[in-house]
């Protein structure tokens, strides 16, 4: 496993931990489908640690009451 | 069916734990007894150990008579101030007897004052000491059993000077003075009347010859603490021990730097030493050693190099020693008045200090107004909730328009009832098309987490909550609620084992959490949803042993969330009704 994908896996474990600990506690308030945490896991798998984190950060910033929300899947990775 | 099985599993687990505890109790008692006996036999009739091998090299040890315990009782002079009481032990020049007059051990009237420093004869030996190392290898220096001479009482208005003559041309002096709070200032002087220059390394140390009982919470640091070389250094006892062993007995941590301070922190108390001149270079070390199988912990400060006293001259070194309660405002005052580098950081405000510190000042201010720390917590939580109210209400504004979409949603749900993922997707598509959304979004929720964690941390670490009463049976907000469901709140005269502690406030917390969870949207994942429904039970058990103030805060926070959601949805129904009435011809 390369160090980059290791970082992505570690981050994914972090998100999973959030899903099973903090999330039940604060409730799921996401305005999007898929939910931000599911989006994070998918983005990390598809785009790696760096881009995945950046995309997740953008997604969470968009997930506020002034954004309409809705269906917003992770864009597919470019296959070249 | 599933629930029944889980309940049975919980019941069986509790049963096993209970049996184990009952079965194991005599063994544990015996073990403790044995440990105590060993400790006692070691503290009595044992020579005063040479504390610090690095500072007291072997070549110098011969000048200090270490063999055999001294037979005469150690001479002492008293320490008395509005806030401190104790004595200076003239044997070895140490302060090993100090109690805090403003703080008591327990909330019971007539409870003894909190003892911060304790003599060697005590099982919890903890002391501050001043001394020298002969850097030239020949100067006769005072040792741990040297009897110093001094007169009077150490008070804020009357400093005292300890004197000792080595009989070889050097006079040693330690001038101690005390302020009206918890700070002792010491000046160590070597007056050289001999014909040769002498080289000595003065030092000040705090030594703890037992490991204290730790509160042991993840969010609270206990152990070595200091600002050395400009940075806050925190070492747990266990970590320091491991590091010192890895380094073959060398200090777990040492560094040079201008100024700073180093000591031991408990949840509420601190004992630390620091150079008086905070701009001069100085050296500090955290040490962990073993002695007859007992752990010894020590911090010390020294100049970065030996000091030379020419014939007829004096070499002086100034230090301070703090031993007292970590009152935030007092530490702040010392930081600015005595220019002690970041002394306020002895209170563990954590990574979110930029939130926790302002929170503390706000809480303390409210406390000053209302006079009860519990009430101050409640008021401050309301204020925080009010601050976030616009965020919450904004999201519920779209609720009204949601209702109008009811039939369309219902039809879509019917169509996709076998495919929840598809249903979610279509639902979100409708939201987007109609420009509405019932959820607040992740960002506003995530912003609130550090804020409420910060408040929790403040309540946990600050001494102001200690022995602060609340209503009814809560007489100490920093201690666990003493009531217990398993004794039917005192009706059954039964000494319940520690894990069967279910106080009234924890139950109140569980109920408020349950109601709040009922109002929260459930996670889409079925396993998470299942876990979600058990959360209130898990948390009730988890928080049972937590300080009552935190459990009360948590209950109140839940209650406010519920009230807020109730208010918003009721308000919502009203506006809807009005709209309907207006639409009618």
């Amino acid at each position: 496993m390369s160090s980059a994908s290791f970082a992505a896996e570690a981050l994914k474990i972090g998100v999973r931990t959030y899903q099973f600990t903090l999330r039940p506690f604060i409730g799921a308030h996401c305005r999007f489908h898929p939910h931000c945490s599911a989006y994070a896991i998918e983005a990390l798998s598809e785009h790696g640690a760096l881009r995945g984190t950046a995309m997740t950060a953008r997604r969470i910033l968009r997930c506020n009451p002034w954004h309409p929300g809705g269906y917003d899947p992770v864009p597919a990775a470019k296959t070249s | 069916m599933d629930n029944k099985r889980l309940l049975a599993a919980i019941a069986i687990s509790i049963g096993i734990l209970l049996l184990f505890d009952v079965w194991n109790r005599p063994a544990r008692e015996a073990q403790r007894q044995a440990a105590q006996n060993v400790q006692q036999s070691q503290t009595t009739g044992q020579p005063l150990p040479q504390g610090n091998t690095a500072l007291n090299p072997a070549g110098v040890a011969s000048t200090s008579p270490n063999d055999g315990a001294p037979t005469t009782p150690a001479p002492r002079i008293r320490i008395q101030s509005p806030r401190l009481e104790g004595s200076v032990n003239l044997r070895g020049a140490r302060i090993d007897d100090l109690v805090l007059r403003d703080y008591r051990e327990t909330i019971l009237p007539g409870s003894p004052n909190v003892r911060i420093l304790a003599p060697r004869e005590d099982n919890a030996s903890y002391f501050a000491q001043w001394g020298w190392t002969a850097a030239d290898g020949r100067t006769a220096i005072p040792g741990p059993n040297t009897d110093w001479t001094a007169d009077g009482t150490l008070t804020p208005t009357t400093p005292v000077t300890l004197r000792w003559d080595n009989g070889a041309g050097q006079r040693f002096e330690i001038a101690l003075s005390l302020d009206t709070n918890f700070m002792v200032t010491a000046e160590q002087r070597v007056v050289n009347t001999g014909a040769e220059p002498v080289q000595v390394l003065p030092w000040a140390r705090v030594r703890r010859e037992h490991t204290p009982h730790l509160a042991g919470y993840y969010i609270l640091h206990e152990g070595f603490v200091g600002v050395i070389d400009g940075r806050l250094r925190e070492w747990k006892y266990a970590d320091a021990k491991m590091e010192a062993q890895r380094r073959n007995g060398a200090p777990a941590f040492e560094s040079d730097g201008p100024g700073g301070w180093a000591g031991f922190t408990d949840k509420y108390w601190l004992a630390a030493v620091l150079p008086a001149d905070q701009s001069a270079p100085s050296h500090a070390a955290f040490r962990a050693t073993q002695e007859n199988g007992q752990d010894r912990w020590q911090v010390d400060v020294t100049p970065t190099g030996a000091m030379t006293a020419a014939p007829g001259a004096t070499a002086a070194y100034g230090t301070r020693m703090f031993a007292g309660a970590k009152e935030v405002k007092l530490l702040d005052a010392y930081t600015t008045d005595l220019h002690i580098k970041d002394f306020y950081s002895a209170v563990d405000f954590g990574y979110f200090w930029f939130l926790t510190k302002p929170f503390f000042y706000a809480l303390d201010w409210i406390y000053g107004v209302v006079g009860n720390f519990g009430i101050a917590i409640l008021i401050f939580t309301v204020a925080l909730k009010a601050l976030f109210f616009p965020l919450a209400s904004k999201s519920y504004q779209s609720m009204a328009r949601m209702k109008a979409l009811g039939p369309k949603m219902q039809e879509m749900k019917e169509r996709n009832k076998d495919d929840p993922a598809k249903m979610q997707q279509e639902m979100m598509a409708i939201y987007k098309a109609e420009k509405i959304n019932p959820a607040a979004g992740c960002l506003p929720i995530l912003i609130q987490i550090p804020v409420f964690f910060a408040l929790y941390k403040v309540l946990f670490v600050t001494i102001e909550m200690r022995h602060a009463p609340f209503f009814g049976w809560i007489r100490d907000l920093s201690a666990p609620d003493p009531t217990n469901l398993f004794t039917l709140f005192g009706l059954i005269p039964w000494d319940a084992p520690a894990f069967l502690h279910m106080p009234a406030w924890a139950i109140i917390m569980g109920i408020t959490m349950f109601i709040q969870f009922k109002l929260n949207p459930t996670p889409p994942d079925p396993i998470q949803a299942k876990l979600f429904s058990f959360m209130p039970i898990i948390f009730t058990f988890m928080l049972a042993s937590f300080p009552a103030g935190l459990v009360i805060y948590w209950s109140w926070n839940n209650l406010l969330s519920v009230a807020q959601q109730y208010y918003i949805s009721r308000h919502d129904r009203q506006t809807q009704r009005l709209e309907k009435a207006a639409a009618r011809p």
Side-chain angles (χ1 to χ4, degrees):
Chain A
M1 201 189 281
S2 74
S3 66
S5 74
F6 177 77
E9 287 304 315
L11 287 169
K12 271 154 74 180
I13 291 170
V15 177
R16 280 248 172 266
T17 312
Y18 156 78
Q19 284 184 330
F20 283 96
T21 52
L22 214 56
R23 189 199 205 179
F25 196 25
I26 58 179
H29 293 276
C30 195
R31 299 168 69 83
F32 289 99
H33 179 82
H35 280 222
C36 286
S37 57
Y39 183 98
I41 288 173
E42 210 184 319
L44 289 166
S45 320
E46 288 278 316
H47 299 274
L50 224 62
R51 267 179 63 83
T53 305
M55 289 168 80
T56 306
R58 269 201 61 209
R59 173 62 170 306
I60 292 173
L61 287 176
R62 275 182 287 140
C63 194
N64 66 59
W66 291 272
H67 191 281
Y71 181 58
D72 174 43
V74 178
K78 271 183 221 139
T79 45
S80 52
Chain B
M1 168 62 201
D2 249 9
N3 280 1
K4 267 186 200 158
R5 208 178 288 167
L6 191 103
L7 282 176
I10 291 174
I12 291 169
S13 314
I14 290 176
I16 291 171
L17 279 171
L18 186 64
L19 274 176
F20 185 76
D21 189 79
V22 168
W23 171 74
N24 205 23
R25 194 176 283 176
R28 254 203 331 259
E29 281 298 311
Q31 227 169 23
R32 217 178 49 205
Q33 207 68 43
Q36 251 168 18
N37 289 343
V38 168
Q39 231 168 19
Q40 267 157 14
S41 68
Q42 275 176 353
T43 40
T44 51
Q46 162 207 315
L48 290 174
Q50 189 73 17
N52 185 325
T53 44
L55 290 176
N56 299 321
V60 186
S62 57
T63 55
S64 45
N66 257 340
D67 322 319
T71 45
T72 52
R76 287 177 178 274
I77 57 166
R78 285 180 59 216
I79 299 173
Q80 191 144 38
S81 86
R83 311 197 68 188
L84 290 173
E85 198 162 12
S87 58
V88 180
N89 188 345
L90 295 178
R91 182 163 296 157
R94 62 186 99 195
I95 296 182
D96 59 0
D97 167 26
L98 206 60
V99 295
L100 309 177
R101 297 177 65 178
D102 302 333
Y103 295 96
R104 292 182 182 281
E105 291 282 354
T106 70
I107 47 168
L108 297 174
S111 155
N113 287 113
V114 169
R115 172 169 286 280
I116 182 140
L117 298 179
R120 277 227 139 104
E121 300 78 56
D122 200 284
N123 267 342
S125 166
Y126 192 12
F127 59 86
Q129 189 178 27
W130 291 268
W132 286 265
T133 302
D136 50 16
R138 57 185 166 79
T139 307
I141 52 148
N145 288 341
T146 301
D147 282 342
W148 295 68
T149 54
D151 296 315
T153 300
L154 179 57
T155 72
T157 49
T158 54
V160 297
T161 301
L162 278 55
R163 290 189 170 82
W164 182 73
D165 196 316
N166 71 353
Q170 285 82 39
R171 251 186 8 250
F172 290 81
E173 291 176 357
I174 304 171
L176 297 175
S177 59
L178 180 63
D179 70 0
T180 49
N181 288 301
F182 306 126
M183 193 70 86
V184 174
T185 304
E187 193 181 56
Q188 292 168 256
R189 292 187 287 256
V190 180
V191 184
N192 187 7
T193 55
E196 301 271 314
V198 294
Q199 281 195 315
V200 287
L201 182 72
W203 48 259
R205 66 176 178 177
V206 175
R207 190 168 164 85
R208 195 164 208 173
E209 306 203 310
H210 73 294
T211 309
H213 173 73
L214 302 177
Y217 288 103
Y218 175 70
I219 63 164
L220 176 75
H221 173 68
E222 295 163 283
F224 291 91
V225 69
V227 170
I228 303 165
D229 199 10
R231 274 187 52 198
L232 178 66
R233 314 282 180 173
E234 293 180 328
W235 282 76
K236 286 184 195 140
Y237 292 107
D239 292 348
K241 186 176 177 177
M242 239 158 63
E243 181 67 9
Q245 274 167 355
R246 202 180 63 78
R247 301 180 60 181
N248 292 323
F253 175 81
E254 60 182 328
S255 185
D256 290 348
W261 53 277
F264 296 101
T265 183
D266 301 329
K267 185 172 178 182
Y268 296 125
W269 325 113
L270 171 75
V273 280
L274 52 125
D277 179 359
Q278 285 282 302
S279 57
S282 87
H283 178 90
F286 294 163
R287 294 169 205 270
T289 50
Q290 275 82 42
E291 213 172 57
N292 307 327
Q294 294 271 68
D295 285 320
R296 306 286 193 230
W297 316 102
Q298 178 176 311
V299 295
D300 44 72
V301 295
T302 64
T304 44
M307 301 181 95
T308 306
T314 300
Y317 181 59
T319 54
R320 296 184 206 277
M321 192 274 294
F322 176 96
K326 293 191 289 177
E327 295 162 1
V328 177
K329 285 184 171 161
L330 179 63
L331 298 189
D332 280 349
Y334 279 135
T335 308
T336 47
D337 298 348
L338 302 179
H339 312 290
I340 305 171
K341 174 83 180 151
D342 295 347
F343 195 51
Y344 57 80
S345 55
V347 177
D348 180 16
F349 276 114
Y351 294 117
F352 291 109
W353 58 270
F354 51 88
L355 284 177
T356 47
K357 278 217 99 175
F359 279 15
F360 169 78
Y361 289 117
L363 266 171
D364 196 53
W365 184 81
I366 301 171
Y367 170 64
V369 173
V370 300
N372 180 294
F373 205 72
I375 306 274
I377 294 171
L378 302 188
I379 292 174
F380 188 69
T381 315
V382 171
L384 270 184
K385 279 275 172 196
L387 200 68
F388 286 110
F389 189 77
L391 268 178
S393 71
K394 172 87 178 83
S395 72
Y396 285 99
Q397 276 169 14
S398 54
M399 278 283 211
R401 279 192 282 168
M402 262 291 283
K403 297 264 159 69
L405 275 177
K408 198 173 171 182
M409 278 287 180
Q410 203 55 46
E411 184 268 328
M412 186 278 292
K413 277 184 182 161
E414 276 298 312
R415 196 152 29 85
N416 292 314
K417 66 168 179 255
D418 298 326
D419 187 355
K422 186 91 195 314
M423 191 203 286
Q424 277 268 323
Q425 199 167 326
E426 287 215 8
M427 195 158 75
M428 288 296 178
I430 295 175
Y431 288 160
K432 198 165 191 174
E434 303 283 337
K435 290 198 180 351
I436 57 156
N437 204 323
C442 301
L443 184 65
I445 302 299
L446 288 181
I447 289 173
Q448 292 185 41
I449 295 172
V451 172
F452 282 95
F453 175 75
L455 179 56
Y456 181 73
K457 173 111 188 175
V458 170
L459 299 184
F460 204 93
V461 300
T462 49
I463 194 168
E464 280 70 13
M465 200 164 93
R466 185 177 186 270
H467 292 187
F470 194 56
F471 295 113
W473 61 92
I474 302 295
R475 291 190 294 165
D476 179 3
L477 285 170
S478 70
D481 183 342
T483 56
N484 191 358
L485 174 69
F486 293 105
T487 61
L488 285 182
F489 302 108
L491 286 181
I492 309 173
W494 176 51
D495 193 15
F499 70 89
L500 275 189
H501 186 68
M502 185 44 62
W505 268 105
I507 296 167
I508 295 172
M509 201 281 309
I511 293 168
T512 56
M513 193 181 227
F514 178 77
I515 300 169
Q516 201 219 332
F517 274 30
K518 280 278 164 224
L519 294 176
N520 262 352
T522 42
D525 182 274
I527 303 168
Q528 286 176 37
K530 187 107 210 140
L531 192 75
F532 185 90
S533 57
F534 280 110
M535 268 298 183
I537 300 171
I538 298 169
F539 266 83
T540 304
F541 274 90
M542 257 176 64
L543 289 189
S545 61
F546 266 56
L550 295 177
V551 183
I552 291 169
Y553 151 67
W554 214 309
S555 312
W556 180 242
N557 193 34
N558 290 343
L559 207 65
L560 288 175
S561 304
V562 170
Q564 178 176 320
Q565 289 191 15
Y566 177 76
Y567 168 77
I568 290 169
S569 56
R570 212 180 72 133
H571 186 76
D572 210 54
R573 275 203 297 276
Q574 246 165 11
T575 44
Q576 238 185 341
R577 216 176 294 135
L578 284 175
E579 270 169 23
K580 255 187 204 158
R584 245 180 254 141

